[in-house]
Amino acid sequence: MPLYIVPTPIGNLSDITFRAIDILKNSDIIFAEDTRTSKKLLNHYSINTKIESFHKYNEHFKLNSILKKLESKDKISVISDAGTPGISDPGFLLVRESLASGYEVFCLPGPTALIPAIIQSGFPTDRFVFEGFLPLKKGRKKRLEELANESRTIIIYESPYRVLKSLQQFIIYFDPNRKVSIVRELTKKFETQFRGTISQAIEFYKKNKPKGEFVICISSSKED
């Protein structure tokens, strides 16, 4: 049986596809990043499939057992807490090893925060670079220096605890007037968006404590 990578809503539970629900209901087992979080979604759609954890702290340990289940013809689905597994979430290693072992892998289309964030930003979408979460320490300075001259729209994920600190670092390497679009809590009840320059964003988040999950879009170095 193939391995199914199944995207799940990043906020609004209605953003799941009919096909995703069908795949999850008919799987022999679902591997989830956090079973407690995922059970809320599964219960909402009356999905009673067996569920086990699969996250960045146990993915190497679980890898062989999942491959054995695929060998036994089990229908396996993988989900993350929100969005598409493999995009800033566990999944890449399993996909790579499943393919190397001769198993098919199907990824369903579905929710991911980076696409709506860049479209809502108003920045060019024909060419962009997705950075996910930047390195916290080692390699961060070098990466920011490289991004300073990036000619494509940049997309970065950030936690509420580091938004202001990251913006203050950006201003060291980027033009203070470089445009940013910052969206928080995409698809959720309290979704908000900030548009302006890096300097303006710093002043805004000094006055408005960041809460929720953030996606930061930074304009091209060549954009006026």
Side-chain angles (χ1 to χ4, degrees):
M1 293 294 287
L3 173 71
Y4 289 91
I5 304 299
V6 183
T8 54
I10 59 175
N12 192 316
L13 294 184
S14 298
D15 290 337
I16 195 168
T17 67
F18 292 124
R19 183 184 174 205
I21 294 172
D22 182 65
I23 291 290
L24 294 175
K25 281 186 174 181
N26 290 287
S27 293
D28 293 302
I29 187 168
I30 298 170
F31 285 92
E33 186 178 5
D34 187 324
T35 56
R36 295 165 300 178
T37 300
S38 295
K39 279 181 179 178
K40 296 175 184 178
L41 173 70
L42 300 181
N43 291 337
H44 183 79
Y45 286 103
S46 301
I47 299 170
N48 300 311
T49 306
K50 181 182 177 182
I51 184 172
E52 288 188 20
S53 67
F54 180 72
H55 47 71
K56 65 180 181 180
Y57 300 110
N58 73 0
E59 61 178 335
H60 287 84
F61 175 77
K62 286 282 186 82
L63 186 60
N64 287 334
S65 65
I66 296 176
L67 293 176
K68 287 181 180 179
K69 290 181 184 297
L70 289 172
E71 184 181 0
S72 300
K73 308 298 182 182
D74 284 352
K75 186 175 181 179
I76 295 175
S77 293
V78 177
I79 61 177
S80 59
D81 289 350
T84 302
I87 304 297
S88 295
D89 280 323
F92 162 71
L93 178 63
L94 178 58
V95 168
R96 184 184 68 183
E97 295 305 312
S98 296
L99 292 171
S101 298
Y103 302 111
E104 288 188 291
V105 176
F106 295 116
C107 181
L108 278 62
T112 184
L114 69 101
I115 298 302
I118 189 175
I119 292 174
Q120 289 181 202
S121 73
F123 299 153
T125 58
D126 54 334
R127 297 177 71 243
F128 61 87
V129 55
F130 172 62
E131 288 293 314
F133 290 94
L134 292 173
L136 293 181
K137 294 181 180 179
K138 186 178 179 180
R140 187 178 179 91
K141 179 177 181 292
K142 181 181 178 181
R143 196 72 198 100
L144 288 171
E145 289 174 342
E146 293 170 345
L147 291 173
N149 297 313
E150 177 59 62
S151 61
R152 296 166 292 181
T153 303
I154 303 166
I155 307 172
I156 294 170
Y157 287 169
E158 193 53 278
S159 80
Y161 311 107
R162 294 192 298 269
V163 169
L164 183 56
K165 184 177 179 180
S166 289
L167 289 168
Q168 290 169 331
Q169 285 184 318
F170 292 167
I171 207 169
I172 298 173
Y173 301 95
F174 298 89
D175 184 329
N177 293 316
R178 192 130 162 206
K179 297 174 183 175
V180 292
S181 171
I182 305 173
V183 62
R184 62 176 286 273
E185 297 293 85
L186 265 167
T187 80
K188 300 177 184 177
K189 182 178 180 181
F190 297 106
E191 176 180 340
T192 58
Q193 187 165 11
F194 171 89
R195 294 184 181 89
T197 65
I198 297 176
S199 295
Q200 290 170 337
I202 291 172
E203 293 307 311
F204 178 82
Y205 288 109
K206 281 181 178 178
K207 299 175 183 177
N208 299 273
K209 185 178 179 180
K211 296 180 180 179
E213 297 301 316
F214 286 76
V215 185
I216 303 172
C217 294
I218 306 174
S219 67
S220 160
S221 61
K222 296 182 180 180
E223 189 170 330
D224 294 334

